[in-house]
Amino acid sequence: MIVDILKQNKDSWDKVAHHFNGIDALPSFGPFTQSEEELNLFGHPTNQKVLDIGCGSGHSLLYMAEKGASELWGVDLSETQIEQAKETLKDFAAQLYCAPMEQDIGLPKVYFDTVYSIYAIGWTTDLKSTFELIYSYLKPGGNFIFSWDHPLYVHLKSQDGQIFLDGSYQDEGSITYARFKGEEAPVTIPKRKMNTYINELIKAGFTIECVIESDVSTNFDSIKEEVSDRYYSLYKARRFPTTLIIKAKKMNELTGVHLNNFS
Ligand SMILES: C[S@@+](CC[C@H](N)C(=O)[O-])C[C@H]1O[C@@H](n2cnc3c(N)ncnc32)[C@H](O)[C@@H]1O
């Protein structure tokens, strides 16, 4: 079943990849959302080894390269995205792998300073394994930062600007869409509650540093919104967060021991 979903999503991502060249990439965390320049979650990636989960067209890795990251690694389910990422990063020695994020493909353990994922983590068919793997890739003291649709967002529909709850936020499961980006490209996307993301991070061993329910980036300050029923719109974003962003840390075990001695 999971294998079928991954195969279906891979084929569809290969088909729609051209719509996503440089879209949903750092410094953006998501639609209308504050950017890395406003949130400064990554600090200074200079000399860091970074791994991008669901690296897409490679533009977030390019941003990391421009900020001085020393090693660029990326994983993505789609062959087409990986080919595009190779093109985007042709001037850098990036290590790019076409694979599902939920699979252990032998990436180095206890190696990365930062692992991040911009609008990709929610695609995983196995959140538990994905977070456990990410935890294993990080050095102690390393950070994991991800952004994804706010978990309630998929349930927000609007009609003539009136926003209402559609379906059940309580029911986790998945939604299959027959079309994606206007193309015949069926995709299945898991639906998870906010506490599932948080609890799975904790179970994998992470310490949560901050949880952000996005606000609108100041880049839109001068733009007058129009009433809109589109899935993403400035109108909706000014009323409800489009994006969930979490920064979590793999604690340095020595620090843990030290603190315990004083408790
Ligand atoms: C919105 S794009 C991410 C864009 C990317 N963050 C960037 O910087 O350009 C979502 C990506 O998730 C990838 N994806 C979907 N399911 C995946 C999975 N199970 N494992 C790895 N990547 C996956 C898709 O192929 C797609 O490239």
Side-chain angles (χ1 to χ4, degrees), residues 37-56:
E37 269 98 38
E38 290 165 279
L39 295 174
N40 193 26
L41 296 178
F42 284 82
H44 301 286
T46 319
N47 295 326
Q48 286 195 4
K49 296 171 181 159
V50 302
L51 168 62
D52 186 331
I53 303 289
C55 63

mmCIF file of all heavy atoms in Angstrom, residues 37-56:
data_model
loop_
_atom_site.group_PDB
_atom_site.id
_atom_site.type_symbol
_atom_site.label_atom_id
_atom_site.label_comp_id
_atom_site.label_asym_id
_atom_site.label_seq_id
_atom_site.Cartn_x
_atom_site.Cartn_y
_atom_site.Cartn_z
ATOM 1 N N GLU A 37 14.921 35.571 6.218
ATOM 2 C CA GLU A 37 15.488 36.884 6.565
ATOM 3 C C GLU A 37 14.736 37.511 7.744
ATOM 4 O O GLU A 37 15.321 38.237 8.539
ATOM 5 C CB GLU A 37 15.453 37.836 5.367
ATOM 6 C CG GLU A 37 16.719 37.794 4.522
ATOM 7 C CD GLU A 37 16.572 36.917 3.295
ATOM 8 O OE1 GLU A 37 15.494 36.925 2.694
ATOM 9 O OE2 GLU A 37 17.536 36.200 2.957
ATOM 10 N N GLU A 38 13.458 37.202 7.860
ATOM 11 C CA GLU A 38 12.679 37.753 8.977
ATOM 12 C C GLU A 38 12.767 36.874 10.229
ATOM 13 O O GLU A 38 12.732 37.374 11.343
ATOM 14 C CB GLU A 38 11.203 37.899 8.553
ATOM 15 C CG GLU A 38 10.979 38.996 7.522
ATOM 16 C CD GLU A 38 9.620 38.880 6.845
ATOM 17 O OE1 GLU A 38 9.489 38.067 5.909
ATOM 18 O OE2 GLU A 38 8.698 39.601 7.241
ATOM 19 N N LEU A 39 12.861 35.569 10.046
ATOM 20 C CA LEU A 39 12.797 34.659 11.202
ATOM 21 C C LEU A 39 14.176 34.249 11.732
ATOM 22 O O LEU A 39 14.309 33.896 12.907
ATOM 23 C CB LEU A 39 11.999 33.397 10.829
ATOM 24 C CG LEU A 39 10.521 33.630 10.521
ATOM 25 C CD1 LEU A 39 9.865 32.344 10.016
ATOM 26 C CD2 LEU A 39 9.768 34.134 11.759
ATOM 27 N N ASN A 40 15.168 34.240 10.831
ATOM 28 C CA ASN A 40 16.545 33.878 11.207
ATOM 29 C C ASN A 40 16.612 32.578 12.033
ATOM 30 O O ASN A 40 17.197 32.540 13.110
ATOM 31 C CB ASN A 40 17.194 35.041 11.973
ATOM 32 C CG ASN A 40 18.689 34.847 12.111
ATOM 33 O OD1 ASN A 40 19.306 34.161 11.291
ATOM 34 N ND2 ASN A 40 19.278 35.415 13.149
ATOM 35 N N LEU A 41 16.038 31.519 11.521
ATOM 36 C CA LEU A 41 16.052 30.233 12.234
ATOM 37 C C LEU A 41 17.354 29.475 11.987
ATOM 38 O O LEU A 41 17.779 28.659 12.799
ATOM 39 C CB LEU A 41 14.869 29.371 11.783
ATOM 40 C CG LEU A 41 13.483 29.924 12.118
ATOM 41 C CD1 LEU A 41 12.390 29.018 11.573
ATOM 42 C CD2 LEU A 41 13.314 30.082 13.630
ATOM 43 N N PHE A 42 17.983 29.724 10.836
ATOM 44 C CA PHE A 42 19.186 28.967 10.477
ATOM 45 C C PHE A 42 20.465 29.569 11.067
ATOM 46 O O PHE A 42 21.494 28.903 11.088
ATOM 47 C CB PHE A 42 19.317 28.876 8.950
ATOM 48 C CG PHE A 42 18.370 27.889 8.321
ATOM 49 C CD1 PHE A 42 17.057 28.231 8.054
ATOM 50 C CD2 PHE A 42 18.781 26.601 7.993
ATOM 51 C CE1 PHE A 42 16.173 27.328 7.478
ATOM 52 C CE2 PHE A 42 17.908 25.681 7.422
ATOM 53 C CZ PHE A 42 16.603 26.052 7.160
ATOM 54 N N GLY A 43 20.396 30.811 11.506
ATOM 55 C CA GLY A 43 21.616 31.456 12.007
ATOM 56 C C GLY A 43 22.613 31.593 10.874
ATOM 57 O O GLY A 43 22.263 32.006 9.774
ATOM 58 N N HIS A 44 23.875 31.199 11.133
ATOM 59 C CA HIS A 44 24.918 31.316 10.104
ATOM 60 C C HIS A 44 25.327 29.928 9.632
ATOM 61 O O HIS A 44 26.060 29.238 10.332
ATOM 62 C CB HIS A 44 26.132 32.063 10.673
ATOM 63 C CG HIS A 44 25.768 33.436 11.154
ATOM 64 N ND1 HIS A 44 25.504 34.474 10.291
ATOM 65 C CD2 HIS A 44 25.581 33.917 12.405
ATOM 66 C CE1 HIS A 44 25.179 35.544 10.989
ATOM 67 N NE2 HIS A 44 25.203 35.236 12.278
ATOM 68 N N PRO A 45 24.882 29.523 8.436
ATOM 69 C CA PRO A 45 25.219 28.174 7.966
ATOM 70 C C PRO A 45 26.662 28.018 7.467
ATOM 71 O O PRO A 45 27.034 26.949 6.984
ATOM 72 C CB PRO A 45 24.240 27.945 6.796
ATOM 73 C CG PRO A 45 23.318 29.112 6.780
ATOM 74 C CD PRO A 45 23.988 30.220 7.518
ATOM 75 N N THR A 46 27.480 29.058 7.640
ATOM 76 C CA THR A 46 28.871 29.010 7.172
ATOM 77 C C THR A 46 29.567 27.754 7.694
ATOM 78 O O THR A 46 29.495 27.470 8.889
ATOM 79 C CB THR A 46 29.638 30.262 7.680
ATOM 80 O OG1 THR A 46 28.785 31.378 7.545
ATOM 81 C CG2 THR A 46 30.930 30.473 6.911
ATOM 82 N N ASN A 47 30.208 27.042 6.758
ATOM 83 C CA ASN A 47 30.969 25.815 7.079
ATOM 84 C C ASN A 47 30.104 24.664 7.614
ATOM 85 O O ASN A 47 30.634 23.717 8.173
ATOM 86 C CB ASN A 47 32.107 26.099 8.082
ATOM 87 C CG ASN A 47 33.137 27.022 7.470
ATOM 88 O OD1 ASN A 47 33.376 26.947 6.253
ATOM 89 N ND2 ASN A 47 33.694 27.912 8.246
ATOM 90 N N GLN A 48 28.813 24.778 7.466
ATOM 91 C CA GLN A 48 27.963 23.682 7.959
ATOM 92 C C GLN A 48 27.738 22.618 6.879
ATOM 93 O O GLN A 48 27.685 22.924 5.687
ATOM 94 C CB GLN A 48 26.591 24.226 8.370
ATOM 95 C CG GLN A 48 26.626 24.982 9.672
ATOM 96 C CD GLN A 48 25.229 25.186 10.245
ATOM 97 O OE1 GLN A 48 24.234 24.700 9.696
ATOM 98 N NE2 GLN A 48 25.153 25.893 11.345
ATOM 99 N N LYS A 49 27.568 21.394 7.333
ATOM 100 C CA LYS A 49 27.124 20.309 6.456
ATOM 101 C C LYS A 49 25.611 20.278 6.548
ATOM 102 O O LYS A 49 25.069 20.102 7.648
ATOM 103 C CB LYS A 49 27.697 18.974 6.941
ATOM 104 C CG LYS A 49 29.208 18.922 6.851
ATOM 105 C CD LYS A 49 29.715 17.676 7.549
ATOM 106 C CE LYS A 49 31.226 17.642 7.489
ATOM 107 N NZ LYS A 49 31.821 16.798 8.509
ATOM 108 N N VAL A 50 24.935 20.480 5.420
ATOM 109 C CA VAL A 50 23.476 20.561 5.466
ATOM 110 C C VAL A 50 22.832 19.500 4.577
ATOM 111 O O VAL A 50 23.374 19.130 3.534
ATOM 112 C CB VAL A 50 22.952 21.971 5.069
ATOM 113 C CG1 VAL A 50 23.528 23.045 5.980
ATOM 114 C CG2 VAL A 50 23.249 22.301 3.617
ATOM 115 N N LEU A 51 21.688 19.025 5.020
ATOM 116 C CA LEU A 51 20.928 18.020 4.265
ATOM 117 C C LEU A 51 19.507 18.541 4.074
ATOM 118 O O LEU A 51 18.840 18.915 5.046
ATOM 119 C CB LEU A 51 20.914 16.699 5.056
ATOM 120 C CG LEU A 51 19.936 15.616 4.587
ATOM 121 C CD1 LEU A 51 20.259 15.145 3.156
ATOM 122 C CD2 LEU A 51 19.988 14.418 5.548
ATOM 123 N N ASP A 52 19.059 18.552 2.813
ATOM 124 C CA ASP A 52 17.711 19.041 2.470
ATOM 125 C C ASP A 52 16.817 17.826 2.156
ATOM 126 O O ASP A 52 17.093 17.050 1.239
ATOM 127 C CB ASP A 52 17.832 19.958 1.242
ATOM 128 C CG ASP A 52 16.519 20.648 0.882
ATOM 129 O OD1 ASP A 52 15.447 20.073 1.149
ATOM 130 O OD2 ASP A 52 16.578 21.743 0.303
ATOM 131 N N ILE A 53 15.743 17.679 2.921
ATOM 132 C CA ILE A 53 14.815 16.556 2.755
ATOM 133 C C ILE A 53 13.674 17.005 1.838
ATOM 134 O O ILE A 53 12.907 17.901 2.188
ATOM 135 C CB ILE A 53 14.241 16.133 4.138
ATOM 136 C CG1 ILE A 53 15.363 15.758 5.114
ATOM 137 C CG2 ILE A 53 13.226 15.009 3.997
ATOM 138 C CD1 ILE A 53 16.087 14.479 4.819
ATOM 139 N N GLY A 54 13.561 16.380 0.670
ATOM 140 C CA GLY A 54 12.582 16.835 -0.333
ATOM 141 C C GLY A 54 13.142 18.085 -0.999
ATOM 142 O O GLY A 54 12.492 19.126 -1.022
ATOM 143 N N CYS A 55 14.362 17.950 -1.540
ATOM 144 C CA CYS A 55 15.128 19.141 -1.980
ATOM 145 C C CYS A 55 14.576 19.765 -3.256
ATOM 146 O O CYS A 55 15.007 20.855 -3.644
ATOM 147 C CB CYS A 55 16.595 18.781 -2.167
ATOM 148 S SG CYS A 55 16.881 17.551 -3.460
ATOM 149 N N GLY A 56 13.641 19.086 -3.920
ATOM 150 C CA GLY A 56 13.003 19.657 -5.105
ATOM 151 C C GLY A 56 14.015 20.119 -6.138
ATOM 152 O O GLY A 56 14.982 19.413 -6.452
#
